[in-house]
Amino acid sequence: MDMGCKVLVFFGLFFTVTAEIYIVTMEGDPIISYRGGDNGFEATAVESDEKIDTTSELVTSYARHLERKHDMILGMLFEEGSYKKLYSYKHLINGFAVHVSPDQAEMLRRAPGVKSVSRDWKVRKLTTHTPQFLGLPTDVWPTGGGYDRAGEDIVIGFIDSGIFPHHPSFASHHTAVPYGPHPSYKGKCEDDPHTKISFCNGKIIGAQHFAEAAKAAGAFNPDVDFASPMDGDGHGSHTAAIAAGNNGIPVRMHGYEFGKASGMAPRARIAVYKSLYRLFGGFVADVVAAIDQAVHDGVDILSLSVGPNSPPATTKTTFLNPFDATLLGAVKAGVFVAQAAGNGGPFPKTLVSYSPWITTVAAAIDDRRYKNHLTLGNGKMLAGIGLSPSTRPHRSYKMVSANDVLLDSSGTKFNPSDCQKPEVLNRKLVEGNILLCGYSFNFVAGSASIKKVAETAKHLGAAGFVLVVENVSPGTKFDPVPSCIPGILITDVSKSMDLIDYYNVTTSRDWMGRVKSFKAEGSIGDGLEPILHKSAPEVALFSARGPNTKDFSFQDADLLKPDILAPGSLIWSAWSENGTDEANYVGEGFALISGTSMAAPHIAGIAALVKQKHPQWSPAAIKSALMTTSTVIDRAGRPLQAQQYSETETVTLVKATPFDYGSGHVNPSAALDPGLIFDAGYEDYLGFLCTTPGIDAHEIKNFTNTPCNFKMGHPSNFNSPSIAISHLVRTQTVTRRVTNVGEEEETYTITSRMEPSIAIEVSPPAMTLRAGASRNFSVTLTVRSVTGVYSFGEVTLKGSRGHKVSIPVVAMGQRR
C-alpha cells in the first residue's frame, strides 16, 4: 500500500470457489432525488445543495421501502443461503452490495428493475508547520474568533483507516470552551469492543466502521484490522489531525520537540467512517456505504484519500461509476468533497480524481526542508538527510562498516549491512564508533527501516550511524526520518562513493580482507532544525498530473484537473500507536509523511473555515472561492515551479502549468472574501455529463435517474472556475457566470492572456454587479497555429474594491 491517495482497483474476490462482490443499482430514485409517485410514498427529494432531513417519517418510510425492494428481488431470484447482501444503499444511490457467484450476477443483470451490476474493486491509500505557512493564525483564525472557534460546529467526515481516539490532537479537554451537543449531526459512535468505552468525546462526534465487503472477500483480519473505528494503520489519524486536530499540540519524538501541531480548522468536529484497512486497503462497496452513511448523518465536508486506480469494467467514462455517482449525490446534499489527486506524478494523465463535483487536490512542498551533513576526517563534507541530533561538537569518531564487524557465525543467515539485527554485529567493535550501514532494497520493500537501524546502533552503544545509498532507481524518494541517536542517510550515490573510497583507503586489512585497524573518522551534524526556503511552494514530484481524462481510453476531458494545490510533502501530524503502515513510525505518536493524502485534508479543513463564515454557500461556491483566490507565484515572487525528471532521470525544477497545480496554491485568507464566485449545482453537473462526447445518455440516466438536458451545448460551458478545451478547432466561445458575494456593488475589469498559438478575447471588458447579482461573460479562443501541445493562459477579473479572481485557461488547437 502506497502512503498517499487510497486508490480504487478492480479485483476478483472469492468467498467460495467463484463468489464475488457486486454493486447493483436499481430503477427508482434514491432518497435524495425521489419526487414521489412510487406506491403512494411522498417525495423526499432535496434541492441542490440542501441537506436531507433523515429524521422525517417521509425519509425513513421510503428508505424502508427501498430496502424491502432490494431484499425482495434477491429473495425472488436466489435460494436462501446462496447469497449474502452486504449493504442497502438508499440515500445517494438506489442499490445494494451483494456477495454472489458470477452466474447469479448475470441473473441479476437480466432481472427486471435492475439497471447495472458492477463487480466491486479494491482501494488503497494515496499517502505542525503548515498553518503558519498558510497564514491561518494571523489572517484567518482571528476572523472567526480565534483558533478556539475556527471551524465551530462544522463536521468533517473522514473516509479513511479510522482514528486513534486517545491522541492529544483529538482530546476534548484541549479546548478552553467545552464541546456541547452538535445542533444537527445524527451519526452514531461505536464502542471499543475491548474497553467498552465510546470512540467519541465531543471533538470526535461520530465513529463507525464498514467492513462487510472485506469480510465477505476473506480479506479482513480482526487481530490487525480491528473490527471497530480504531486506526490500525496510522493514515486515518494523520489526515484527521491535518484537517481538524487540536491547536498547539507538541510534536515530540526521541526527546525532541519538532514544533506544535494544529489542524486547519482546530475547532471543527471529526466524524470517522473507517472503510480502509492496513493490509488490503479496502473495497468500493464498503467505501460507498461509508459515504452514504456520512451524508445521512449530516457531515458538512468529506475528506477522501481514495480514488479509482483501475477502471471498473462496467463503465466507459471516468465520471460514472458507483463511487463518483455516490459523491455526486453527496454534493447535491450540500456536502463539500475534497479528494486526493493521486501519487502517480510527475507523469501526465496520472490523476485518479476526475469529476467536476469533486475538489481534486495536488500536493506541494512547503518552505521547510530538513538537511544534514557528515564531515569526514579528510575534511570533506557530505550532504544528506536525517532528523537527528549531532555527535559531540568538535570531536570525530571512528567509523566501522557493518560488514566488517560481523560475529563469525552470522554472515550467511542475514543481510548484515542493512543493520536490522544487532545480534549479528560485534558490540565491542561498534561501541563508541559510528556504524556504517547499506541502504538495500529491503528499505524500499519495507522489510527494513531507518528506525530499526537507529535502534540497532543504540543497542550496540554506537555514537551514531550512517546509511549509504550505493544504487538507486531513478525517482527514488528519500524522506528524513527522526532518530533517537545521531544518524544520516547519504542519498547522493556520488557522495556515497566518496565515503566508501575514504573508508577503504584508511582501513587496513590482512591478506584475507579482515580489518586490522579502523582509521576512518567522521562526525554527524545537527539535522533537527529545518531550513526555510523562499522557493516554496513547489509542486511535489509524486503529485499526479493532468490533463484530465473523460474515459478509460485516456481521451482528454474538457475539464481541468487538478483543481488546487496544497501542502502535501513532509507533513507532521498525529499517528496511531497501533499504526504499522510506516515502519519508521511504529509505536510513535506522530509521523512525518508525504502524499496527496496529506494535501486533501488541508483543503477539507480550509473549506470548513470558509463554510463557517459562509454557511449558506454551496460546495461549488466554496470550491470557487478556494480556486479563484489561489496563487501561481512562490514566496520569492517567481512563477510556481514543479519537480520533474530531467533527461538523465535526476529530479529538477521546471516551470509549472495548470496541469500540475490547477488554479494555483491555496490562499486561505483570500478565499474567505473572494468577491466573486462561479456557482454550480446538480443540474449543471448533469449538463456537463450530457454534453461530454462519448457518454451514453442512457448510462447517465442509470446513475442519476434524470433524463439528459443538452442546453449547456458543450462541456466547456460548465460554470467551472477554469476553462479547458481539449479539441479547439478554429474558434470557440465559452460562457461563464459570476455572482457578487461581496457586501457592496463592485465594478470588475476583465483581462486575459494566452500563449501565442491561441488568441483569446473576453467580452464585456468590464461589468458592474450589485451585491448578490450575477452576470455572464464570454471567452473566445481562436487557433493561430496548431502545435500539438496545450497552450496555457488565464482570465482575471479585478474589482474596484480590491477583489481579484483569476481562472486558468488550457486549450489545444486542432486542424479539425
Side-chain angles (χ1 to χ4, degrees):
M1 287 185 302
D2 191 28
M3 184 31 97
C5 199
K6 277 182 185 207
V7 181
L8 306 173
V9 186
F10 239 175
F11 227 87
L13 307 171
F14 297 92
F15 177 62
T16 60
V17 176
T18 57
E20 300 180 24
I21 299 166
Y22 294 87
I23 298 174
V24 181
T25 60
M26 301 286 292
E27 289 181 358
D29 290 315
I31 288 166
I32 198 167
S33 55
Y34 174 62
R35 298 192 177 279
D38 186 352
N39 290 336
F41 287 95
E42 293 186 42
T44 59
V46 297
E47 297 304 315
S48 187
D49 311 319
E50 183 184 336
K51 285 193 174 182
I52 306 168
D53 180 6
T54 55
T55 61
S56 75
E57 178 58 28
L58 294 178
V59 169
T60 56
S61 61
Y62 185 63
R64 289 193 297 268
H65 168 67
L66 291 180
E67 186 157 3
R68 281 195 297 267
K69 289 178 75 172
H70 301 163
D71 294 336
M72 187 182 301
I73 192 169
L74 288 168
M76 288 170 57
L77 288 175
F78 310 128
E79 291 184 11
E80 188 176 348
S82 70
Y83 69 91
K84 183 178 181 182
K85 189 186 78 170
L86 307 176
Y87 299 104
S88 272
Y89 306 126
K90 308 176 288 284
H91 302 97
L92 307 180
I93 59 173
N94 174 17
F96 53 87
V98 64
H99 198 227
V100 291
S101 70
D103 288 343
Q104 288 173 305
E106 192 56 38
M107 290 175 65
L108 272 168
R109 222 173 249 117
R110 296 195 300 265
V114 171
K115 293 198 299 186
S116 69
V117 179
S118 306
R119 189 172 56 166
D120 195 12
W121 63 106
K122 286 181 74 180
V123 305
R124 62 186 173 96
K125 296 184 302 296
L126 298 180
T127 280
T128 170
H129 167 76
T130 47
Q132 287 74 27
F133 179 68
L134 295 170
L136 298 180
T138 54
D139 301 331
V140 178
W141 291 344
T143 67
Y147 74 84
D148 54 350
R149 294 292 183 187
E152 184 75 65
D153 283 339
I154 304 297
V155 180
I156 306 178
F158 295 90
I159 311 296
D160 217 300
S161 65
I163 199 163
F164 187 70
H166 315 298
H167 197 282
S169 289
F170 313 124
S172 57
H173 60 266
H174 269 283
T175 177
V177 182
Y179 286 103
H182 192 274
S184 60
Y185 180 76
K186 306 175 187 69
K188 67 178 183 180
C189 285
E190 294 181 21
D191 293 340
D192 187 304
H194 301 294
T195 65
K196 308 305 179 186
I197 297 173
S198 173
F199 275 84
C200 295
N201 60 5
K203 173 69 173 176
I204 303 171
I205 199 172
Q208 302 171 59
H209 83 287
F210 301 81
E212 292 305 312
K215 291 174 183 175
F220 187 85
N221 180 350
D223 292 334
V224 295
D225 296 316
F226 300 109
S228 76
M230 179 63 75
D231 185 3
D233 180 289
H235 190 270
S237 301
H238 200 273
T239 56
I242 289 171
N246 289 324
N247 181 61
I249 305 303
V251 179
R252 292 195 184 100
M253 284 184 71
H254 309 307
Y256 184 80
E257 184 175 308
F258 290 94
K260 290 184 166 55
S262 173
M264 301 298 101
R267 183 68 177 177
R269 312 288 187 107
I270 293 169
V272 177
Y273 297 87
K274 177 181 171 181
S275 49
L276 303 169
Y277 297 87
R278 181 176 70 86
L279 294 178
F280 58 88
F283 295 84
V284 173
D286 291 330
V287 172
V288 168
I291 295 168
D292 193 66
Q293 188 64 49
V295 176
H296 167 275
D297 293 344
V299 301
D300 299 293
I301 314 282
L302 272 177
S303 180
L304 290 134
S305 295
V306 299
N309 187 42
S310 293
T314 52
T315 179
K316 297 183 180 70
T317 174
T318 51
F319 310 124
L320 289 177
N321 58 67
F323 182 77
D324 276 37
T326 305
L327 290 175
L328 176 57
V331 172
K332 185 183 182 186
V335 177
F336 176 91
V337 179
Q339 184 182 20
N343 293 340
F347 308 106
K349 296 188 179 183
T350 48
L351 294 160
V352 297
S353 177
Y354 316 99
S355 297
W357 46 91
I358 296 165
T359 301
T360 301
V361 189
I365 300 169
D366 65 19
D367 61 346
R368 184 185 52 191
R369 311 283 197 279
Y370 287 102
K371 295 184 179 180
N372 205 343
H373 63 274
L374 171 69
T375 303
L376 302 181
N378 61 7
K380 270 194 176 180
M381 189 177 289
L382 308 182
I385 56 174
L387 281 170
S388 79
S390 67
T391 50
R392 283 190 184 179
H394 314 299
R395 179 179 170 185
S396 290
Y397 294 81
K398 284 184 181 179
M399 296 192 291
V400 298
S401 168
N403 285 329
D404 289 330
V405 295
L406 282 176
L407 293 171
D408 291 341
S409 61
S410 60
T412 58
K413 294 182 182 178
F414 306 102
N415 179 13
S417 67
D418 59 17
C419 299
Q420 300 296 292
K421 295 183 177 295
E423 64 269 22
V424 306
L425 303 177
N426 189 329
R427 180 185 178 92
K428 290 181 181 178
L429 295 177
V430 175
E431 191 169 15
N433 298 322
I434 292 175
L435 178 64
L436 303 184
C437 310
Y439 193 90
S440 67
F441 179 75
N442 293 337
F443 289 87
V444 181
S447 58
S449 71
I450 297 175
K451 178 185 175 75
K452 188 64 179 174
V453 174
E455 290 173 352
T456 295
K458 184 177 182 180
H459 180 81
L460 296 172
F465 67 88
V466 179
L467 260 174
V468 181
V469 178
E470 297 181 63
N471 294 290
V472 63
S473 300
T476 301
K477 182 170 164 289
F478 299 102
D479 284 343
V481 174
S483 168
C484 55
I485 67 170
I488 187 170
L489 173 65
I490 307 295
T491 60
D492 186 323
V493 174
S494 66
K495 299 289 191 295
S496 295
M497 292 302 106
D498 287 344
L499 170 58
I500 292 168
D501 290 344
Y502 167 69
Y503 180 80
N504 287 336
V505 166
T506 55
T507 302
S508 59
R509 302 176 184 272
D510 63 19
W511 65 275
M512 293 184 65
R514 292 175 300 202
V515 174
K516 293 179 5 183
S517 63
F518 295 100
K519 296 288 180 64
E521 292 188 342
S523 60
I524 297 170
D526 186 344
L528 293 172
E529 292 297 325
I531 301 167
L532 301 183
H533 281 240
K534 283 188 176 180
S535 61
E538 298 166 357
V539 181
L541 184 74
F542 59 80
S543 187
R545 310 297 210 264
N548 194 14
T549 54
K550 67 180 180 181
D551 57 34
F552 292 107
S553 299
F554 291 93
Q555 294 187 69
D556 291 9
D558 292 308
L559 179 75
L560 179 65
K561 290 283 178 172
D563 291 308
I564 199 163
L565 185 68
S569 179
L570 300 181
I571 305 299
W572 277 114
S573 190
W575 198 248
S576 172
E577 291 181 8
N578 302 310
T580 54
D581 186 53
E582 283 285 323
N584 288 316
Y585 296 100
V586 172
E588 303 292 352
F590 292 91
L592 181 73
I593 55 177
S594 303
T596 53
S597 280
M598 284 67 253
H602 278 89
I603 293 299
I606 295 165
L609 301 176
V610 178
K611 177 82 172 176
Q612 180 189 14
K613 184 170 182 181
H614 304 284
Q616 301 307 313
W617 279 13
S618 68
I622 296 172
K623 178 180 178 180
S624 172
L626 293 169
M627 289 179 64
T628 60
T629 58
S630 60
T631 180
V632 294
I633 303 297
D634 69 15
R635 289 293 175 88
R638 300 170 301 197
L640 289 180
Q641 294 182 295
Q643 290 187 331
Q644 184 57 264
Y645 289 133
S646 68
E647 291 181 0
T648 59
E649 296 187 323
T650 57
V651 178
T652 187
L653 288 172
V654 299
K655 183 181 177 182
T657 76
F659 289 148
D660 303 317
Y661 56 65
S663 60
H665 191 274
V666 65
N667 180 354
S669 60
L672 294 178
D673 182 23
L676 297 175
I677 58 165
F678 295 74
D679 210 352
Y682 187 68
E683 294 298 324
D684 300 293
Y685 299 125
L686 293 183
F688 170 83
L689 293 172
C690 294
T691 55
T692 296
I695 301 184
D696 187 339
H698 296 293
E699 190 177 10
I700 294 171
K701 190 174 183 198
N702 271 352
F703 282 98
T704 65
N705 300 288
T706 308
C708 260
N709 184 328
F710 298 95
K711 287 189 299 184
M712 190 174 288
H714 191 276
S716 293
N717 286 323
F718 171 69
N719 203 42
S720 169
S722 62
I723 295 172
I725 303 177
S726 61
H727 197 92
L728 177 64
V729 179
R730 293 187 291 277
T731 296
Q732 184 172 331
T733 298
V734 300
T735 303
R736 289 293 183 270
R737 187 171 183 81
V738 291
T739 301
N740 182 2
V741 292
E743 296 177 354
E744 300 178 88
E745 180 178 279
E746 192 163 4
T747 298
Y748 283 87
T749 303
I750 310 176
T751 58
S752 61
R753 61 172 182 83
M754 199 77 188
E755 291 176 343
S757 60
I758 291 176
I760 186 169
E761 293 181 37
V762 293
S763 179
M767 56 188 183
T768 300
L769 293 92
R770 299 188 309 274
S774 300
R775 280 196 64 180
N776 290 353
F777 69 93
S778 63
V779 180
T780 300
L781 299 172
T782 303
V783 179
R784 284 177 170 159
S785 61
V786 176
T787 62
V789 296
Y790 276 93
S791 297
F792 303 104
E794 71 175 358
V795 174
T796 300
L797 295 89
K798 191 169 184 180
S800 56
R801 296 186 179 276
H803 292 110
K804 178 183 174 183
V805 298
S806 296
I807 63 171
V809 181
V810 302
M812 184 189 290
Q814 309 278 359
R815 287 189 171 84
R816 57 179 178 158

